[in-house]
Amino acid sequence: MAEERSERPVDNPASPRPGPPAPAPAKKPPSASEQPKEPPSAGEPVKEPPSAGEPVKEPPSAGDLAEVFLPSTYAAGVPYDLYARLRRESPVCWIPEPAVGPWREGPGYWGVFRHADVKRVLRSPDDFSSHLGATQIRDPDTPADLEFVRSMMLNMDPPDHSRLRRIVAAAFTPRAVRALERTIKDRVAALLAPGECDFVEVAADLPVWTLAHVMGVPEQDRRLLYDWASRVIGYQDDDYAGLSTAEVESLTPVGRLAVAARPELKPGMNPRSRAALADMFAYAHALADTPHESVMSAMRKGGLTEAEFENMFFLFAVAGNETLRNGIPGGLLTLLSHPAELARLRADPSLLEPAVEEMLRHWPPVMDFRRTATRDLTLGGRRIQAGEKVVVYHASANRDPAVFADPDRFDVARTPNDHVSFGFGPHFCLGAHLARVQLRAVFAELLAWDVEPAGPPVRLTSNFQNGLKHLPVRLTRRLT
């Protein structure tokens, strides 16, 4: 039984919760006296207390810690300075979840900021479950919502996770990806044209096109994938939450039926819920029932339950999209912000492979993921109770000076590069190889162009996705 502490009642996200109730009271962070001191690592000198007259550093305030959670923080940029402070002073700490707009206050969670601790959590599903409370910071609104999302491969633990991964792995083998490489390169070359453009829109085409090819989605319906991904990954941003850009008259009959099934999003309705995505799931079933062979029809034949099938379509359409939709514009903005490194890459294109890995480290497309503690345990010197949320910050781990020399420096030749942008452990990104092929194709092509900023970039408001909504640039073909 979990140790009881009156000032921090346990809120188990896996237990049934009425929704939407009045805001739950936030847990108070444990005081220093409650927590055991973390022993120094082997060879690490014991820190002496400050001498007389030496200023004592104040611990991070509740306001600072709330900044880690608030989506509005990330509209201005990833708070790397705050991450660095937390890695030094409080590498595992309690983060409050204040109410945001229509979303009620949450119970709070443990934030994990050091590379070693992040890896420990990600590789230990017996201790830190993806299944108990799913993998988003925000708890599902109802027990039924939680039960549904538990059918997603992303929200499973072994052995169920391993079973689903085997069924879909054939679409992402090196052989399958090699068969796509030439087509991907041709597609990239056709995307770029002289003049001004919003590179976010340009970059969004490639992952949507590639996934549609893999999934068997007809060309006329590919814009639906863009819209569904926008609604899901940008649900904290008013510009994306209700986005609908597909032209109904250009869709296939199946696509038009899906649009007709689109529900009206009401205030407070979770855009990631089954009810909010009824149109996407209606399309998934109709697509699988078409006579041609596709990954989706193969999954139906592979013995997936209805909920597993719908969630697999969700995972392909959204998770397979978001990494590149964020990573390609983020990588370009990083290069434009470091002109010396861009010049270095132009001078030596053989650096393209490590440069792509450094872009992924410097601009991780996904900033964090959640797990739930399965038992009472200790992490980073902190006592964590069974049922408490544990959120690992990939963006912080990627800047940990214990792993990366001069971690804030962007270095296109950095090697080794042990970033965690594709995760780690059982849930290492299944599509990582395909994502890398697309990233290398885009930036190999961009080396043949002069790229200049044509306006300020605009970030996505999200505490999960490290995205851009707009990146205006001017493209000019370089003379050879």
Side-chain angles (χ1 to χ4, degrees):
M1 181 175 177
E3 176 187 353
E4 293 186 4
R5 284 170 273 177
S6 60
E7 74 284 9
R8 287 181 53 235
V10 174
D11 179 15
N12 187 343
S15 62
R17 294 171 49 178
K27 296 181 183 180
K28 295 178 182 178
S31 66
S33 62
E34 290 183 279
Q35 297 288 351
K37 299 296 183 182
E38 184 175 5
S41 305
E44 181 182 338
V46 177
K47 294 182 180 179
E48 298 295 335
S51 58
E54 182 180 336
V56 178
K57 290 183 180 178
E58 291 294 326
S61 68
D64 288 337
L65 296 174
E67 289 296 309
V68 172
F69 166 75
L70 289 171
S72 57
T73 298
Y74 299 86
V78 182
Y80 284 114
D81 289 344
L82 178 55
Y83 287 172
R85 182 183 176 193
L86 292 173
R87 282 195 306 270
R88 291 191 305 268
E89 300 174 14
S90 194
V92 177
C93 59
W94 191 255
I95 306 294
E97 288 179 77
V100 177
W103 315 122
R104 64 179 183 264
E105 182 180 19
Y109 59 90
W110 292 101
V112 182
F113 297 93
R114 283 183 181 168
H115 189 276
D117 292 331
V118 166
K119 277 196 160 184
R120 178 189 164 187
V121 171
L122 294 177
R123 70 169 176 256
S124 308
D126 289 344
D127 292 336
F128 303 98
S129 171
S130 299
H131 180 71
L132 282 180
T135 51
Q136 294 292 299
I137 295 177
R138 180 186 176 193
D139 291 328
D141 293 338
T142 68
D145 285 344
L146 175 57
E147 189 62 28
F148 177 67
V149 298
R150 280 174 166 172
S151 297
M152 184 184 293
M153 185 171 69
L154 190 67
N155 299 326
M156 289 181 174
D157 298 323
D160 287 334
H161 170 261
S162 307
R163 172 179 61 86
L164 287 194
R165 193 172 174 109
R166 283 193 297 270
I167 291 173
V168 300
F172 299 100
T173 62
R175 181 178 179 182
V177 173
R178 279 196 301 273
L180 284 171
E181 279 195 58
R182 181 69 262 168
T183 312
I184 288 170
K185 290 178 181 177
D186 291 343
R187 184 71 180 182
V188 169
L191 288 177
L192 304 182
E196 291 190 9
C197 66
D198 186 340
F199 193 74
V200 170
E201 285 292 320
V202 173
D205 179 89
L206 181 63
V208 168
W209 179 88
T210 303
L211 286 167
H213 187 88
V214 170
M215 297 167 70
V217 173
E219 183 174 355
Q220 304 98 298
D221 295 341
R222 287 172 183 169
R223 195 68 183 181
L224 290 172
L225 296 179
Y226 175 88
D227 287 348
W228 288 324
S230 296
R231 285 158 54 190
V232 171
I233 69 175
Y235 78 94
Q236 296 168 331
D237 192 298
D238 291 341
D239 291 339
Y240 275 24
L243 196 67
S244 179
T245 64
E247 296 180 2
V248 176
E249 59 274 13
S250 69
L251 300 174
T252 65
V254 170
R256 289 195 291 272
L257 286 173
V259 171
R262 179 172 296 170
E264 180 183 353
L265 290 182
K266 300 175 182 177
M269 187 179 189
N270 188 342
R272 302 175 66 94
S273 66
R274 191 179 200 179
L277 293 169
D279 53 328
M280 184 173 76
F281 296 134
Y283 185 88
H285 286 289
L287 181 67
D289 288 338
T290 55
H292 68 278
E293 289 295 317
S294 68
V295 169
M296 305 314 297
S297 61
M299 285 194 292
R300 281 283 288 271
K301 295 173 184 175
L304 274 65
T305 67
E306 179 176 317
E308 287 173 346
F309 171 76
E310 290 178 357
N311 275 292
M312 193 64 75
F313 188 93
F314 179 115
L315 200 58
F316 269 71
V318 178
N321 188 336
E322 67 193 14
T323 299
L324 290 168
R325 186 166 164 182
N326 296 334
I328 293 173
L332 178 59
L333 180 58
T334 302
L335 285 171
L336 293 176
S337 302
H338 298 83
E341 290 302 295
L342 175 56
R344 185 182 179 194
L345 180 57
R346 288 195 195 284
D348 185 2
S350 70
L351 293 175
L352 182 61
E353 188 167 331
V356 163
E357 297 305 309
E358 181 70 342
M359 291 177 214
L360 287 164
R361 183 190 75 87
H362 209 80
W363 189 288
V366 175
M367 294 179 288
D368 53 72
F369 259 111
R370 174 224 177 137
R371 299 291 188 264
T372 303
T374 63
R375 61 183 180 86
D376 294 359
L377 49 78
T378 300
L379 178 70
R382 296 287 189 153
R383 291 198 305 270
I384 297 175
Q385 292 180 350
E388 290 182 330
K389 294 191 279 191
V390 178
V391 177
V392 294
Y393 280 84
H394 304 71
S396 175
N398 283 354
R399 302 287 184 103
D400 191 336
V403 178
F404 305 99
D406 199 0
D408 293 323
R409 181 169 65 93
F410 179 68
D411 178 3
V412 295
R414 185 184 295 273
T415 187
N417 194 332
D418 190 21
H419 67 75
V420 290
S421 295
F422 286 125
F424 186 71
H427 281 276
F428 182 81
C429 178
L430 185 62
H433 184 51
L434 180 58
R436 285 175 164 126
V437 165
Q438 293 176 84
L439 284 162
R440 288 195 291 266
V442 168
F443 288 101
E445 179 65 24
L446 279 171
L447 293 181
W449 295 78
D450 284 323
V451 186
E452 301 173 282
V458 180
R459 288 186 57 87
L460 179 70
T461 298
S462 174
N463 60 8
F464 177 52
Q465 299 286 330
N466 189 15
L468 291 170
K469 294 191 292 186
H470 301 290
L471 180 59
V473 298
R474 187 176 302 104
L475 297 171
T476 307
R477 172 70 74 171
R478 292 173 65 85
L479 299 177
T480 55

